């Protein structure tokens, strides 16, 4: 396998983007990524397009968006791994270059979630498990899946609703500094705790918002990066993947996501690093409880100690390990297919010392960053480790 | 809050999927009779829920239907307040995953208890029968 570098990244504004169609939205990430990498459309040999789809008008969105962006003729695939689709596309593009099949490839993630009404969206993503055994008679919703984990974590470790609120407060603090974020305002304990109940114990402010957005990443071989004169290539140092049962009832417990544990151990092993070596991480905080589970699953905190990490500010800029200092899914927004590529965008910027606000640029010591992207409720997981 | 932008309404799509139950239809037949049965592999003895026609453990397809004791403890729960389209007409409901003495976990609603009573570790009993809409189903009640 060859060394592979991230040489260009692009990101759209996340939000209710009824001002653009899915192709125009995709282009908002593709164009800056191409400019960043100093390449043009015909240079890209392969495109992996991430979207969950089924919630907007196109059946073949990859083809439609690729035509609009000028990629017609390139190798093309649509990747689906639920909310980890962006990482699945990144992984596909990474393999394409690492294997020697291409010298330049692109991963682009896009989701358009606001063309249908919210109850219909709840219906579609509530089926993100095992339909007949969880949805048909029981009406599971996406927040309900994570709420089940929250109830078990609270009972076992004494995690509280206030602990969950702390995660939301941190997310909003950094979202307020991120021009791409859906929510660019801070929140406080009262506002989080008094927001309406969605699926106990999760309230509105514990949930990432349904929104539209896109993000793109260009990957190159070492020779290609050199040829293009890329001054700060960001190397793909480790990747890990795993999955878990469709039926939650087949899981051994509800205290953490096994797929996150397995995927992260594979990525650490490939990279030859551990959680203590990281300068910054983006973890999958689709709900506040998910960020706490991630700290424990990824080895940032001991079991039951994640809430303490947040309370003590260890995951803030300047803390032991800054996490989700772009606002995370919670405040930045979670256009599901775009999220994995959005994480790589953020970490690439951080490792280049180019965060859009100096207030949220992390100090770099080991030049290592980790992206943790979960699909469904630990149904899929991808972990990526990047190095400057 | 958000500006209104020019748009075109697509042609609507309504889809209702016909899900085959041919190889496991006995599950719903037993429910209608008020019995909760699931599958056990006759070759290796693996007990499975949801019921299956093919054993994931030994790949055999020789399956028998066994009745469960159905007693267990709540392992996780949630009260669903914001509901999807097809559950809009119902009041909020409580979903539990219970860990059964039979050695399986099952996800279902809990009936006959106040929301505030439900907690992890609570003892529950699995019941089978028909819902108010006449659909075969199963649910937990406090033991
Ligand atoms: Zn068997």
């Amino acid at each position: 396998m060859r060394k592979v570098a991230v040489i260009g990244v692009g990101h759209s504004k996340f939000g209710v983007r009824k001002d653009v169609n899915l192709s125009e939205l995709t282009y908002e990430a593709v164009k800056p990524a191409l400019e960043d990498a100093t390449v043009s459309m015909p240079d890209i040999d392969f495109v992996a397009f991430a979207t969950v789809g089924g919630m907007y008008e196109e059946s073949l969105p990859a083809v439609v968006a690729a035509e609009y962006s000028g990629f017609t003729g390139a190798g093309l695939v649509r990747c689906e791994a639920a909310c980890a689709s962006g990482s699945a596309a990144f992984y596909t593009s990474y393999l394409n270059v690492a294997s020697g099949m291409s010298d330049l490839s692109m991963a682009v993630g896009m989701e358009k979630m606001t063309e249908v009404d919210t109850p219909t969206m709840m219906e579609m993503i509530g089926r993100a498990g095992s339909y007949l055994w969880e949805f048909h008679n029981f009406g599971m919703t996406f927040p309900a899946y994570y709420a089940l984990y929250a109830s078990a974590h609270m009972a076992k470790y004494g995690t509280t609703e206030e602990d969950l609120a702390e995660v939301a407060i941190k997310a909003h603090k950094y979202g307020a500094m991120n021009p791409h974020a859906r929510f660019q305002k801070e929140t406080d304990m009262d506002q989080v705790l008094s927001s309406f109940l969605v699926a106990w114990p999760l309230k509105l402010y514990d949930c990432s918002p349904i929104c539209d957005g896109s993000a793109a990443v260009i990957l190159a071989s070492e020779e290609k990066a050199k040829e293009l004169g890329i001054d700060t290539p960001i190397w793909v140092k480790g990747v890990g993947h795993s999955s878990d049962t469709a039926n939650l009832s087949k899981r051994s417990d509800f205290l953490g996501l096994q797929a996150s544990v397995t995927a992260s151990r594979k990525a650490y092993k490939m990279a030859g690093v551990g959680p203590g070596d990281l300068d910054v991480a983006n973890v999958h905080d689709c709900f506040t409880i998910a960020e706490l589970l991630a700290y424990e699953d990824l080895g940032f905190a001991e079991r039951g100690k994640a809430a303490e990490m947040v309370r003590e500010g260890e995951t803030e800029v300047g803390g032991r390990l800054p996490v989700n200092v772009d606002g995370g899914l919670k405040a930045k927004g979670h256009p599901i297919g775009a999220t994995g590529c959005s994480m790589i965008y953020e970490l690439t910027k951080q490792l280049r010392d180019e965060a859009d606000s100096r207030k949220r640029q992390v100090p770099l010591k080991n030049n290592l960053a980790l992206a943790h992207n979960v699909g469904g409720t630990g149904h899929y997981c991808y972990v990526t480790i990047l190095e400057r | 809050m958000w500006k209104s932008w020019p748009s075109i309404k697509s042609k609507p799509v309504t889809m209702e999927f016909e899900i085959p139950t041919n190889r496991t239809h006995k599950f719903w037949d037993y429910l209608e009779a008020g019995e909760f049965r699931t599958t056990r592999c006759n070759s290796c003895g693996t007990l499975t829920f949801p019921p299956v026609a093919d054993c994931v453990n030994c790949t055999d397809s020789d399956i028998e239907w066994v009745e469960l004791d159905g007693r267990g403890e709540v392992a996780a729960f949630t009260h669903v307040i914001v509901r999807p389209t097809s559950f809009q007409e119902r009041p909020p409901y409580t979903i539990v995953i219970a860990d059964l003495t039979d050695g399986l976990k099952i996800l279902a609603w809990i009936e006959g208890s106040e929301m505030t009573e439900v907690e992890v570790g609570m003892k529950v009993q699995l019941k089978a029968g028909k819902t108010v809409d006449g659909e075969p189903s199963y649910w937990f009640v406090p033991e």
Side-chain angles (χ1 to χ4, degrees):
Chain A
M1 298 278 261
R2 302 194 290 176
K3 274 182 80 176
V4 178
V6 172
I7 62 159
V9 289
H11 204 290
S12 81
K13 171 91 173 72
F14 281 7
V16 178
R17 297 296 312 276
K18 291 177 185 276
D19 56 321
V20 284
N21 65 33
L22 70 90
S23 297
E24 294 158 351
L25 181 60
T26 305
Y27 191 69
E28 285 186 22
V30 169
K31 187 182 179 196
L34 292 168
E35 287 169 356
D36 190 29
T38 63
V39 298
S40 58
M41 289 88 161
D43 300 327
I44 305 289
D45 185 51
F46 184 84
V47 177
F49 186 87
T51 186
V52 173
M55 60 191 85
Y56 49 74
E57 71 282 9
E58 297 292 355
S59 290
L60 302 179
V63 182
V64 173
E67 177 200 293
Y68 189 87
S69 290
F71 292 120
T72 299
L76 181 64
V77 67
R78 167 178 167 183
C79 296
E80 184 279 309
C83 322
S85 298
S87 290
F90 179 83
Y91 179 67
T92 304
S93 282
Y94 162 75
L95 283 185
N96 198 255
V97 177
S99 65
M101 283 295 289
S102 301
D103 287 325
L104 265 180
S105 83
M106 174 179 261
V108 52
M110 186 286 304
E111 211 69 64
K112 203 88 182 62
M113 302 178 76
T114 65
E115 292 188 10
V116 293
D117 59 281
T118 301
T120 304
M121 201 62 222
M122 296 281 289
E123 177 97 10
M124 310 251 334
I125 53 185
R127 298 175 181 211
S130 183
Y131 172 82
L132 212 45
W133 310 100
E134 295 177 338
F135 190 87
H136 187 74
N137 282 334
F138 308 124
M140 278 294 287
T141 65
F142 206 49
Y145 278 106
Y146 276 93
L148 288 169
Y149 275 83
S151 74
H153 202 271
M154 290 165 86
K156 169 92 173 179
Y157 299 120
T159 307
T160 64
E161 292 178 54
E162 285 78 6
D163 291 335
L164 301 179
E166 293 285 0
V167 176
I169 294 165
K170 175 173 79 75
H172 277 258
K173 174 181 161 183
Y174 292 106
M177 302 176 199
N178 182 350
H180 293 125
R182 159 102 193 249
F183 295 131
Q184 298 187 13
K185 58 181 195 309
E186 299 199 7
T187 188
D188 58 30
M189 186 59 76
D190 277 352
Q191 191 173 27
V192 178
L193 292 180
S194 63
S195 63
F196 65 84
L197 199 53
V198 174
W200 185 91
L202 303 179
K203 293 169 267 310
L204 180 67
Y205 271 71
D206 288 300
C207 306
S208 60
I210 288 169
C211 70
D212 308 319
S214 65
V217 181
I218 295 173
L219 295 128
S221 62
E222 190 172 15
E223 306 81 76
K224 193 66 174 180
K226 248 183 222 146
E227 182 194 315
L228 290 165
I230 301 297
D231 50 15
T232 318
I234 302 300
W235 302 101
V236 182
K237 183 118 171 127
V239 285
H241 39 41
S242 188
S243 62
D244 208 340
T245 58
N247 281 282
L248 251 61
S249 63
K250 292 197 167 186
R251 311 266 174 101
S252 61
D253 65 53
F254 305 96
L255 302 168
L257 301 175
Q258 185 55 44
S260 298
V261 175
T262 307
S264 62
R265 295 318 180 267
K266 284 184 185 172
Y268 289 139
K269 189 176 174 207
M270 179 173 165
V273 304
D277 301 318
L278 304 170
D279 289 339
V280 59
N282 267 54
V283 305
H284 199 87
D285 63 324
C286 48
F287 300 96
T288 50
I289 182 64
E291 179 157 334
L292 299 183
L293 298 180
Y295 291 3
E296 296 170 13
D297 293 336
L298 300 170
F300 299 174
E302 282 175 44
R303 288 280 161 207
K305 301 281 188 206
E308 216 171 285
M309 260 189 108
V310 180
R311 269 199 306 271
E312 288 169 14
E314 289 184 40
T315 52
E316 304 260 356
V317 171
R320 181 162 65 86
L321 173 54
V323 178
N324 292 353
V325 295
D326 60 350
L329 283 56
K330 167 66 197 101
K332 183 179 56 179
H334 182 29
I336 44 185
T339 287
C341 292
S342 169
M343 288 175 167
I344 302 295
Y345 172 93
E346 164 67 10
L347 297 176
T348 298
K349 291 282 190 179
Q350 288 284 354
L351 288 173
R352 288 177 182 168
D353 202 21
E354 281 176 7
D356 40 46
S357 157
R358 294 317 291 172
K359 281 189 286 185
R360 62 176 203 84
Q361 172 65 51
V362 306
L364 297 171
K365 293 177 298 238
N366 299 326
N367 295 311
L368 282 165
L370 177 145
H372 163 252
N373 192 192
V374 174
T377 313
H379 293 98
Y380 306 84
C381 185
Y382 286 84
V383 172
T384 308
I385 296 173
L386 302 173
E387 183 181 40
R388 176 171 174 166
Chain B
M1 181 169 71
W2 293 92
K3 200 180 153 194
S4 159
W5 299 94
S7 64
I8 291 172
K9 292 254 187 253
S10 77
K11 299 277 185 284
V13 182
T14 311
M15 286 193 281
E16 187 176 41
F17 306 111
E18 192 177 336
I19 307 167
T21 55
N22 177 44
R23 295 184 71 201
T24 49
H25 69 90
K26 283 186 181 170
F27 177 76
W28 291 274
D29 298 344
Y30 285 122
L31 286 183
E32 294 222 16
E35 274 179 55
F36 191 98
R37 287 182 185 246
T38 190
T39 50
R40 185 163 62 200
C41 173
N42 271 327
S43 293
C44 74
T46 301
L47 184 68
T48 309
F49 182 82
V52 294
D54 309 296
C55 178
V56 72
N57 183 49
C58 75
T59 74
D60 206 287
S61 301
D62 180 15
I63 293 297
E64 65 170 335
W65 291 88
V66 295
E67 190 160 14
L68 296 186
D69 169 60
R71 280 178 304 139
E73 275 186 10
V74 172
F77 71 97
T78 181
H79 309 301
V80 179
I81 312 300
V82 178
R83 306 178 298 287
T85 311
S86 49
F87 288 80
Q88 287 291 307
E89 306 303 314
R90 297 169 186 264
Y93 40 88
T94 299
I95 295 171
V96 308
I97 295 178
D99 206 346
L100 303 188
T101 54
D102 300 282
L104 290 171
K105 291 190 191 72
I106 289 179
L107 180 150
W109 285 1
I110 185 162
E111 309 272 15
S113 73
E114 293 297 317
M115 279 190 175
T116 50
E117 290 175 318
V118 181
E119 57 182 10
V120 170
M122 178 184 183
K123 303 253 191 256
V124 292
Q125 170 72 49
L126 186 62
K127 296 280 182 194
K130 285 185 189 169
T131 64
V132 284
D133 308 324
E135 277 208 67
S137 191
Y138 48 96
W139 57 89
F140 288 104
V141 294
E143 197 189 337

